[in-house]
């Protein structure tokens, strides 16, 4: 339960001023609520005496009750106004943005090598649970806490025997409730892990729906999803049933407490220790206390359903970026585009230390056109990911214009100095303008039009009636495969970066689009340092230098002709693709 109170503490810190006003209002409201039974009892005592004076006194007390209730409504309005203005809609927004900020702070490598579906599920469910817990506490639990504290105080003050008895039973039940809760939490935590797994499975099937359709696997997909949901439900039902049996045992104390309290009050009235009016308001307070105990167990059940997701979120928030961002990074120094790898080594910790790159060194001079090839898993993508600083090397250095990449302002580096086109087209369901300008800052329409011309996409876009404002649809559905890739090229070059990286830019297009894209690449790379990863060797055949990767190392480097004579692996790839010396 400590996580629950930590969430309340964080919410209080964020909304301190609003919460203080709200809490004062709640306290006033609850004092009035407790006062009404007391005044009702006093009316009963007054009416036991006949006569005009008794009648007038009773009327005055009734008017006081009315005035207090009206004042309570006024206080309620003040509280509601404060909640609407400063809290009720803000809690969810703040929690969600905190989750998004955490997601953004993690390195690109963590998103590449770790399970992103589970992480998104953790953040989505966790931020929603944080909001629910805060709302539950400040709108439901805290008013009840105030009420029960005032009730207990009033009971002890007006009838110490009944008051101390009720408090003792409440304390015993509360201790057992906390004990049973702690015993049950591992089962609820396991349930949360199972929920993340089911979200991952369902999410993957939803994301890959066309794959399912193409192979006629709808029945298998539904069966898999149904089975994992059934397994999750079976687990939580067992945990919940066991927990509820224990809560029911605690809850049985309520009617027993009520009967014994009533017996004590009847005895006190019968032998003249208290008046009938005191009997009325004390018994009403006892009922209030018992109702609060029942509500406490209701809150407990709700918290147990919500808390595991929040606990999971807190574990996620403890995950830090695996790249160290300098407090005072160097800015404005990438002026030429020179790249150097000095004895760089890297392995994937989340994949049994699989080798990514081993003691690799290379110097790429400004303006050079570099081709990268090799078999799958040879280290090509690792090389690029290190250059994009999705990871940091375990040993060695990556230098940009002779500066260690770890010391350079990473956000500035990526938004101004380096352009990247991946084999997957990541596009927003927004306008052409938004998608092309996304890679840089303060991009003007003139720059966008120039980039579209470089990407051989200008005529296609500007012939549309909406021009740059044309919506491309979800995932760029309104564009062809080649057009999506050329839009990605426009996005990479629009900011005029010193370094351009193309990762299999022509791997999934037809020959016509391949020629258009290759022409775009040639135009885009003029005067820039260009790196192109390719399995289709004709696209890099004319590069200034080709790096052939094998077993996590740059095995050989040279021109196409040079590699044919010194690298059996490269020559073998050329033979497989029937590629000859031009």
């Amino acid at each position: 339960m400590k996580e629950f109170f930590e969430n309340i503490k964080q919410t209080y810190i964020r909304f301190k001023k609003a919460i203080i006003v709200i809490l004062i209002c709640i306290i006033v409201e609850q004092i009035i609520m407790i006062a009404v039974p007391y005044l009702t009892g006093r009316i009963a005592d007054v009416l036991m005496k006949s006569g005009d004076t008794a009648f007038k006194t009773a009327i005055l007390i009734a008017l006081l009750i009315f005035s207090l209730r009206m004042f309570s409504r006024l206080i309620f309005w003040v509280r509601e106004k404060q909640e609407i203005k400063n809290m009720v809609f803000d809690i969810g927004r703040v929690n969600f943005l905190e989750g998004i900020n955490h997601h953004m702070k993690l390195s690109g490598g963590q998103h590449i090598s770790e399970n992103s579906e589970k992480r998104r599920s953790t953040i989505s469910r966790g931020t929603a649970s944080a909001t629910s817990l805060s709302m539950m506490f400040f709108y439901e639990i805290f008013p009840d806490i105030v009420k029960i504290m005032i009730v207990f105080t009033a009971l002890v003050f007006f009838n110490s025997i009944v008051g101390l008895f009720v408090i003792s039973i409440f304390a015993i039940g509360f201790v057992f409730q906390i004990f049973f809760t702690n015993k049950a939490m591992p089962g609820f935590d396991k349930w949360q892990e199972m929920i993340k797994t089911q979200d991952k499975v369902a999410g993957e099937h939803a994301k890959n729906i066309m794959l399912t359709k193409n192979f006629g696997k709808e029945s298998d997909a539904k069966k898999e999803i149904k089975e994992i949901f059934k397994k999750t439900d079976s687990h939580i039902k067992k945990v919940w049933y066991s927990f509820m049996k224990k809560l029911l045992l605690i809850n049985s104390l309520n009617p027993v407490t009520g009967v014994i309290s009533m017996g004590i009050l009847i005895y006190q009235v019968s032998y003249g220790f208290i008046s009938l009016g005191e009997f009325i308001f004390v018994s009403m307070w006892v009922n209030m206390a018992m109702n609060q105990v029942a509500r406490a167990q209701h809150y407990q059940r709700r918290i147990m359903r919500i808390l595991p997701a929040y606990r999971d979120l807190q574990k996620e928030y403890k995950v830090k970026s695996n790249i160290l961002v300098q407090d005072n990074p160097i800015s404005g120094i990438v002026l030429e585009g020179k790249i150097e790898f000095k004895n760089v080594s890297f392995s994937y910790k989340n994949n049994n230390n699989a080798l990514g790159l081993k003691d690799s060194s290379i110097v790429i001079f400004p303006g050079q056109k570099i081709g990268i090839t090799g078999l799958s898993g040879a280290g090509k993508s690792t090389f690029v990911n290190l250059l994009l600083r999705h990871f940091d090397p375990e040993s060695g250095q990556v230098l940009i214009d002779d500066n260690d990449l770890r010391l350079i302002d990473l956000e500035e580096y990526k938004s101004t100095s380096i352009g990247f086109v991946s084999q997957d087209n990541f596009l927003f369901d927004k306008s052409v303008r938004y998608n092309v300008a996304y890679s840089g800052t303060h991009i003007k329409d003139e720059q966008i039009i120039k980039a579209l011309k470089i990407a051989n996409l200008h005529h296609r876009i500007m012939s549309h009636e909406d021009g740059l404002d044309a919506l491309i649809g979800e995932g760029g559905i309104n564009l062809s495969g080649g057009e999506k890739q050329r839009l990605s090229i426009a996005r990479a070059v629009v900011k005029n970066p010193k370094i351009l990286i193309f990762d299999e830019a022509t791997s999934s297009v037809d020959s016509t689009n391949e020629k258009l894209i290759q022409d775009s690449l040639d135009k885009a790379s003029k005067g820039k340092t260009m790196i192109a990863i390719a399995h289709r060797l004709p696209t890099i055949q004319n590069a200034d230098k080709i790096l052939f990767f094998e077993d996590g190392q740059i095995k050989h480097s040279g021109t196409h002709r040079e590699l044919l004579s010194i690298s059996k692996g490269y020559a073998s790839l050329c033979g497989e693709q029937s590629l000859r010396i031009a």
Side-chain angles (χ1 to χ4, degrees):
M1 291 293 287
K2 65 180 181 180
E3 293 90 353
F4 172 73
F5 292 107
E6 180 62 30
N7 175 60
I8 301 309
K9 178 183 175 183
Q10 291 299 321
T11 304
Y12 175 75
I13 291 171
R14 290 167 179 159
F15 302 96
K16 185 175 181 180
K17 290 183 179 179
I19 287 175
I20 289 174
V21 173
I22 291 168
L23 297 187
I24 291 172
C25 291
I26 288 172
I27 291 170
V28 173
E29 287 179 59
Q30 296 305 323
I31 289 174
I32 292 172
M33 189 173 292
I34 298 303
V36 169
Y38 171 77
L39 294 173
T40 303
R42 289 309 177 200
I43 289 176
D45 283 339
V46 169
L47 292 177
M48 293 294 292
K49 305 172 185 178
S50 59
D52 188 56
T53 302
F55 172 75
K56 289 179 180 178
T57 303
I59 291 296
L60 287 174
I61 296 174
L63 289 173
L64 177 59
I65 292 174
F66 172 76
S67 300
L68 288 173
R69 288 189 182 279
M70 292 302 295
F71 182 66
S72 176
R73 292 300 85 196
L74 176 62
I75 295 297
F76 176 77
W77 164 243
V78 172
R79 174 161 67 95
E80 283 289 296
K81 186 177 179 182
Q82 190 67 227
E83 289 170 354
I84 293 170
K85 185 178 179 181
N86 297 310
M87 194 171 169
V88 67
F89 298 107
D90 298 65
I91 292 177
R93 172 180 53 80
V94 169
N95 284 328
F96 180 76
L97 290 178
E98 183 181 14
I100 290 296
N101 288 339
H102 169 77
H103 196 62
M104 296 290 185
K105 283 180 180 178
L106 298 178
S107 72
Q110 284 167 293
H111 291 295
I112 292 170
S113 59
E114 298 175 10
N115 195 314
S116 58
E117 284 292 339
K118 278 193 172 183
R119 171 164 282 134
R120 281 194 290 270
S121 174
T122 297
I123 292 174
S124 176
R125 287 180 176 272
T127 53
S129 71
T131 301
S132 296
L133 290 171
S134 296
M135 299 286 278
M136 187 193 311
F137 180 80
F138 289 106
Y139 293 110
E140 299 179 67
I141 296 177
F142 185 78
D144 285 350
I145 289 174
V146 172
K147 181 188 288 185
I148 203 165
M149 289 178 66
I150 296 173
V151 167
F152 283 163
T153 302
L155 281 173
V156 171
F157 183 80
F158 285 97
N159 196 314
S160 58
I161 296 174
V162 173
L164 292 174
F165 172 71
V166 171
I167 291 172
S168 299
I169 298 300
F170 175 82
I172 292 170
F174 184 75
V175 169
F176 275 105
Q177 192 163 324
I178 295 298
F179 174 77
F180 290 141
T181 297
N182 290 334
K183 294 283 286 184
M185 278 313 297
F188 282 94
D189 286 338
K190 182 180 178 181
W191 172 52
Q192 187 60 32
E193 287 298 319
M194 296 174 77
I195 285 176
K196 286 194 294 180
T197 301
Q198 76 179 24
D199 284 353
K200 172 181 175 291
V201 171
E204 285 181 340
H205 278 295
K207 185 169 63 176
N208 298 317
I209 184 63
M210 291 312 299
L211 180 67
T212 302
K213 291 287 185 183
N214 290 340
F215 288 97
K217 290 290 184 178
E218 292 93 339
S219 296
D220 290 347
K222 287 187 286 187
K223 182 179 179 182
E224 183 181 359
I225 294 170
K226 183 178 179 180
E227 286 178 352
I228 197 167
F229 269 74
K230 186 177 179 180
K231 184 178 179 181
T232 303
D233 289 347
S234 176
H235 169 76
I236 191 56
K237 284 176 182 178
K238 290 178 182 178
V239 172
W240 197 252
Y241 179 71
S242 175
F243 182 61
M244 285 303 298
K245 285 196 298 184
K246 297 178 177 67
L247 284 187
L248 184 61
L249 179 64
I250 298 172
N251 199 40
S252 64
L253 293 173
N254 275 16
V256 174
T257 304
V259 168
I260 294 174
S261 298
M262 188 62 69
I264 294 172
L265 289 172
I266 291 172
Y267 174 83
Q268 290 176 332
V269 172
S270 300
Y271 288 90
F273 293 106
I274 61 174
S275 67
L276 181 60
E278 289 174 313
F279 172 86
I280 291 172
F281 68 71
V282 171
S283 61
M284 290 176 71
W285 286 344
V286 170
N287 285 331
M288 283 184 177
M290 293 302 98
N291 287 335
Q292 297 314 115
V293 171
R295 285 173 64 85
Q297 292 176 357
H298 169 68
Y299 296 140
Q300 183 73 16
R301 292 193 292 270
R302 289 170 60 191
I303 289 170
M304 291 297 284
R305 286 197 297 267
I306 300 171
L307 190 59
Y310 178 75
R311 285 159 59 96
D312 217 31
L313 179 68
Q314 294 312 299
K315 292 176 186 176
E316 172 62 28
Y317 281 166
K318 291 178 182 177
V319 177
K320 303 300 180 184
S321 175
N322 57 11
I323 61 172
L324 179 64
V325 178
Q326 299 293 321
D327 291 333
N328 297 296
I330 306 170
S331 62
I333 59 168
V334 183
L335 303 175
E336 296 180 340
K338 179 184 177 184
I339 300 168
E340 183 175 2
F341 276 56
K342 274 189 176 182
N343 306 112
V344 172
S345 293
F346 177 80
S347 60
Y348 292 92
K349 301 299 182 185
N350 289 344
N351 189 20
N352 297 320
N353 291 317
L355 180 63
L357 214 58
K358 181 181 178 182
D359 196 26
S360 295
S361 298
I362 191 72
V363 178
I364 300 172
F365 292 101
Q368 272 194 315
K369 308 298 181 283
I370 303 297
I372 294 180
T373 192
L375 298 176
S376 296
K380 306 183 298 298
S381 294
T382 302
F383 182 88
V384 170
N385 284 328
L386 288 166
L387 186 54
L388 290 167
R389 209 188 168 198
H390 291 329
F391 302 102
D392 279 337
E394 292 170 2
S395 61
Q397 289 179 297
V398 177
L399 303 175
I400 306 296
D401 284 353
D402 299 319
N403 294 283
D404 193 319
L405 182 54
R406 287 169 289 200
L407 303 178
I408 296 174
D409 187 318
L410 186 57
E411 188 170 329
E412 181 190 79
Y413 170 66
K414 290 187 178 182
S415 65
T416 62
S417 303
I418 192 163
F420 177 60
V421 180
S422 69
Q423 55 188 311
D424 299 313
N425 299 298
F426 300 108
L427 299 170
F428 291 97
D429 184 8
K430 293 191 175 185
S431 68
V432 171
R433 177 185 284 105
Y434 181 91
N435 277 279
V436 175
Y438 187 76
S439 67
T441 54
H442 308 299
I443 301 296
K444 298 178 180 178
D445 284 358
E446 292 80 7
Q447 294 171 273
I448 295 173
I449 290 171
K450 182 180 179 180
L452 290 172
K453 288 179 178 179
I454 291 173
N456 292 321
L457 201 58
H458 175 259
H459 177 72
R460 165 73 172 89
I461 298 302
M462 299 313 292
S463 62
H464 191 283
E465 60 180 354
D466 293 327
L468 297 180
D469 294 317
L471 299 176
I472 67 170
E474 184 178 355
I477 196 171
N478 296 332
L479 303 174
S480 69
E483 288 169 344
K484 292 178 189 178
Q485 196 71 341
R486 281 181 277 148
L487 190 68
S488 297
I489 292 172
R491 179 173 57 195
V493 303
V494 70
K495 57 192 174 184
N496 194 29
K498 296 297 180 182
I499 301 168
L500 281 172
I501 302 173
F502 301 104
D503 184 1
E504 297 285 3
T506 63
S507 64
S508 58
V509 296
D510 57 37
S511 57
T512 301
N513 272 298
E514 182 177 4
K515 289 178 182 178
L516 286 170
I517 291 171
Q518 190 61 51
D519 180 62
S520 300
L521 299 183
D522 292 340
K523 288 191 289 185
S525 61
K526 287 181 180 179
K528 305 181 190 305
T529 305
M530 187 197 79
I531 297 173
I533 299 177
H535 281 105
R536 294 161 74 166
L537 299 180
T539 59
I540 58 171
Q541 182 180 358
N542 297 320
D544 298 327
K545 184 184 290 186
I546 298 172
L547 311 181
F548 181 73
F549 280 74
E550 188 176 328
D551 298 327
Q553 292 182 300
I554 303 173
K555 202 72 172 179
H556 299 101
S557 66
T559 64
H560 171 64
R561 288 176 179 270
E562 290 169 346
L563 286 181
L564 280 173
S565 62
I566 64 175
S567 173
K568 290 182 179 179
Y570 182 78
S572 176
L573 283 180
C574 289
E576 290 173 7
Q577 299 182 31
S578 301
L579 181 66
R580 298 178 180 178
I581 300 174

